Amino acid sequence: MSEASKGNALVTGAGRGIGRAIALALAEGGFDLVVNDLARSAELDETVAMIRDKGREAVAVRADIADIDGHAAFLDAAWNAFGGLHCLVNNAGISVAKRDDILTVTPESFDRLMNVNLRGPFFLTQAVAQRMLEAPQDRFRSIITVSSINVGFVAVDRAEYCISKTGLAMMSRLYAVRLASAGINCYEVQPGVIRTDMTAVVRERYDRLFESGVAPIARWGETDDVGNAVAMLASGALPYTTGETLRVDGGLAIRRL
């Protein structure tokens, strides 16, 4: 852990998009970073370089979070990079391969989404929490899970995605209750419509929705909006909170008449 560090954070799915923005925001907040993505992610090295440009330490650990059998080696590398972890950000996730009717969802597509978006993060969080419980508490510690506005917004053309993200919301609250007595605070961040490669396929649709006033803040969310929210929670600025959900959605979830 480098001088004046807030601690060490592990961010999954940090090769680009929201994950990269989270890692950079944490670096700006004083964290040293272990960043993760799939082995084939060429962008991960770019994330490391960008973090180091901000004066923080960074190490890339390539692993598939859906591979539960590989979690031990993955976590060994992440934990030992700087001598422990103070923050885990469950960000890695995938969308449906094809947007289609709920009546045509296949078991293969369902299982793929659950393995990556829910099963992997659940058991990775379990493993990180076990190690945190065994380690001395020398910094504020947090586990932050990035879900989606689809926890509360139905999208019948992405049913398995919505279900996987809803599971993450409950997962975060469960771990919040279990870990509170150990001083490990857990949070869920729900991004709304964020400008990423994942949402590029529906750009025109959401452009029209924003023009029609679908959200009080009538614009696309940016990856930095999510990154800044995660960094605030990880900073320990809200120590008397856990199990909370922070929506980064421009007010989209506000019910209006």
Side-chain angles (χ1 to χ4, degrees):
M1 188 162 56
S2 63
E3 185 178 355
S5 173
K6 278 284 189 69
N8 310 319
L10 167 60
V11 181
T12 64
R16 58 180 178 172
I18 290 175
R20 174 180 285 179
I22 290 170
L24 294 177
L26 287 169
E28 290 177 356
F31 283 86
D32 294 319
L33 273 299
V34 179
V35 290
N36 154 263
D37 213 335
L38 295 170
R40 61 179 178 272
S41 170
E43 298 98 336
L44 196 59
D45 292 333
E46 297 175 9
T47 301
V48 169
M50 294 170 75
I51 292 167
R52 290 175 177 169
D53 285 344
K54 293 182 178 295
R56 305 310 314 176
E57 297 294 331
V59 171
V61 179
R62 290 173 169 81
D64 183 354
I65 63 166
D67 178 15
I68 307 298
D69 291 338
H71 278 187
F74 170 32
L75 188 50
D76 280 344
W79 190 267
N80 295 331
F82 303 117
L85 293 171
H86 304 91
C87 176
L88 166 65
V89 181
N90 290 308
N91 168 74
I94 57 174
S95 187
V96 293
K98 179 183 178 183
R99 291 175 179 247
D100 208 345
D101 190 346
I102 187 174
L103 299 181
T104 65
V105 173
T106 64
E108 292 77 15
S109 179
F110 187 93
D111 290 347
R112 172 176 172 265
L113 267 290
M114 293 302 152
N115 286 339
V116 176
N117 290 2
L118 182 56
R119 185 173 182 266
F122 177 87
F123 286 104
L124 180 62
T125 300
Q126 182 188 77
V128 170
Q130 289 169 347
R131 294 208 186 192
M132 283 184 170
L133 290 173
E134 296 170 357
Q137 184 175 346
D138 61 343
R139 296 285 195 284
F140 180 80
R141 298 184 295 182
S142 62
I143 296 173
I144 302 168
T145 298
V146 180
S147 60
S148 167
I149 199 69
N150 282 118
V151 168
F153 282 70
V154 170
V156 294
D157 60 347
R158 291 180 295 142
E160 59 271 54
Y161 177 84
C162 296
I163 295 169
S164 70
K165 294 296 186 176
T166 301
L168 284 180
M170 177 55 73
M171 181 193 89
S172 183
R173 294 195 292 272
L174 288 165
Y175 277 116
V177 171
R178 174 61 180 85
L179 300 174
S181 63
I184 302 170
N185 297 40
C186 299
Y187 304 101
E188 177 200 2
V189 173
Q190 290 185 5
V193 183
I194 308 298
R195 196 191 312 272
T196 65
D197 291 344
M198 187 182 292
T199 55
V201 295
V202 288
R203 184 187 62 189
E204 293 181 357
R205 174 190 172 193
Y206 283 113
D207 282 343
R208 291 192 298 269
L209 286 173
F210 283 125
E211 289 173 2
S212 69
V214 69
I217 300 177
R219 66 165 175 85
W220 283 79
E222 304 296 342
T223 56
D224 286 348
D225 293 320
V226 183
N228 292 335
V230 171
M232 182 273 294
L233 293 171
S235 73
L238 304 174
Y240 193 52
T241 64
T242 194
E244 296 295 334
T245 298
L246 177 57
R247 296 185 182 90
V248 186
D249 66 352
L252 182 62
I254 298 173
R255 299 180 69 180
R256 293 179 288 170
L257 293 175

